[in-house]
Amino acid sequence: MNALKSGIRGPGILVGCAMLFTAACAFAQESSSKPGETPARVPGETSSSGGPSAALKTVLSAACSQNQAEFGRFLTARSKEAFLRMTAQARIALMKRFVLLNEPGKATASANPAGRPIIRCQTPDVTTEMQIGGADLRDNVAFLPLELRNATDTTASDAHQITLGLVREDGDWKLLSLGLLLLDLPALEVEWDSAEIDSTEKSAIAALAKVAGAVEAYRNKYLRLPASLANLGPPVHGAANGESAGLVDSDLANGIKNGYTIRYVIVGANTVGAPAKYELAATPLQYGRTGRRSFFRDSNGGLHAADRGGAVGSEADPKVE
């Protein structure tokens, strides 16, 4: 179960529900039917309707496969706008919390003898089984208990019990809460972005090292520097060549990687052979959200970094040891 537990770690998971929902969350934990029981049917929801159980089943399937577009359909209008503003890593981190898995998986759906939905999420390392209980409906808010366990745990001895909240918005059911985490993404996105900054800045340093290695590999093969990052990217058709050397992925070839823009500049007029020099820079795509520090690799290979308010760095910045 270690693979399951690792997926729930991250900033914001202990954020409490707003006072309006605290009592409702606690009441839902106590009064909602357990996954194996047959509770009273939710008014207006049948096995084939688009009720809260059906919505939650789709949410969990999208979270399993890390399908950001599908997952976003079940967020409130306010949260969906914030979700789209978040970095890709932050959006994936949010979805991971629903299935407690780090890797994207393949989702399959079935039902238990009582007709309650079961979603299995299969990854190369572990398969989880999520069983949705009966909805506790409060006007336009529904709370559903979820039992999440390793599919090999037949006794459910190490199962996670979680209550998820949904709210009806414009006739459709949207996510409201995950356990004690109220999904008010506009209030949480700044906190999550801050937690992601350390990761994105490390990724920017790695991206510069990757590009520098690719430039040197290109120079060794073609005896000159590439004219642009695009020359390092994968070929659209056929074998690698001087125009598309296949040395970096398409994101780096387009100059964008994990919330940073990557800039490559040839220094001086000489582009041929070992004397030719170049500089690299990595700048936050959204300053304060995808990163704070700007990184600069000088023509001698030295790495510099500083908080430049989103501007491009320079060799005058402090060196990164």
Side-chain angles (χ1 to χ4, degrees):
M1 288 291 285
N2 288 337
L4 291 179
K5 294 177 181 176
S6 64
I8 199 167
R9 294 172 184 162
I13 198 64
L14 296 180
V15 175
C17 288
M19 292 183 64
L20 178 63
F21 297 102
T22 301
C25 286
F27 184 85
Q29 292 274 16
E30 296 173 0
S31 64
S32 294
S33 302
K34 295 180 179 179
E37 297 177 347
T38 306
R41 181 169 58 86
V42 177
E45 179 180 8
T46 66
S47 59
S48 60
S49 74
S53 295
L56 182 55
K57 182 173 74 171
T58 306
V59 166
L60 295 174
S61 296
C64 168
S65 61
Q66 296 182 6
N67 185 328
Q68 298 181 28
E70 183 70 358
F71 186 86
R73 290 201 309 116
F74 291 88
L75 297 175
T76 63
R78 172 178 162 85
S79 287
K80 186 175 182 179
E81 290 178 2
F83 184 71
L84 294 175
R85 289 194 301 266
M86 292 163 61
T87 64
Q89 298 99 310
R91 291 195 293 267
I92 290 172
L94 173 63
M95 291 187 288
K96 286 178 181 178
R97 297 175 189 183
F98 284 79
V99 292
L100 305 190
L101 290 171
N102 286 322
E103 300 298 324
K106 179 181 179 181
T108 56
S110 61
N112 70 2
R116 295 297 171 201
I118 297 175
I119 298 90
R120 289 171 67 93
C121 184
Q122 182 178 0
T123 72
D125 296 327
V126 65
T127 298
T128 60
E129 185 172 283
M130 296 162 280
Q131 191 169 166
I132 301 172
D136 178 15
L137 189 66
R138 316 294 181 84
D139 296 325
N140 286 322
V141 177
F143 293 97
L144 296 94
L146 178 72
E147 180 182 278
L148 190 154
R149 61 183 177 86
N150 191 315
T152 61
D153 181 14
T154 56
T155 63
S157 59
D158 198 19
H160 295 263
Q161 305 289 338
I162 308 168
T163 294
L164 291 101
L166 290 90
V167 62
R168 189 148 38 197
E169 182 179 86
D170 296 329
D172 296 319
W173 289 99
K174 307 291 185 178
L175 281 169
L176 174 67
S177 62
L178 168 62
L180 294 179
L181 175 64
L182 181 65
L183 292 181
D184 184 7
L185 297 192
L188 294 174
E189 63 176 322
V190 174
E191 177 189 350
W192 286 349
D193 284 342
S194 296
E196 291 294 321
I197 282 177
D198 182 58
S199 174
T200 55
E201 289 187 349
K202 288 179 179 177
S203 177
I205 294 174
L208 291 183
K210 177 69 174 178
V211 171
V215 170
E216 294 305 327
Y218 186 100
R219 186 208 305 263
N220 290 336
K221 184 170 183 178
Y222 298 104
L223 304 180
R224 58 183 172 86
L225 292 179
S228 69
L229 290 176
N231 296 141
L232 301 175
V236 178
H237 302 291
N241 54 66
E243 295 300 313
S244 301
L247 296 171
V248 301
D249 62 30
S250 57
D251 286 343
L252 275 178
N254 288 322
I256 297 177
K257 189 70 173 180
N258 294 338
Y260 267 77
T261 58
I262 310 298
R263 190 187 71 165
Y264 162 74
V265 176
I266 296 172
V267 180
N270 187 7
T271 65
V272 179
K277 293 187 176 183
Y278 59 93
E279 295 172 343
L280 298 172
T283 309
L285 193 60
Q286 292 178 278
Y287 173 72
R289 305 200 60 180
T290 63
R292 290 193 182 90
R293 290 189 295 169
S294 296
F295 299 95
F296 184 85
R297 186 183 188 276
D298 62 40
S299 59
N300 294 315
L303 183 63
H304 307 259
D307 185 339
R308 286 194 159 248
V312 176
S314 78
E315 61 183 340
D317 296 334
K319 270 198 168 186
V320 177
E321 301 298 334

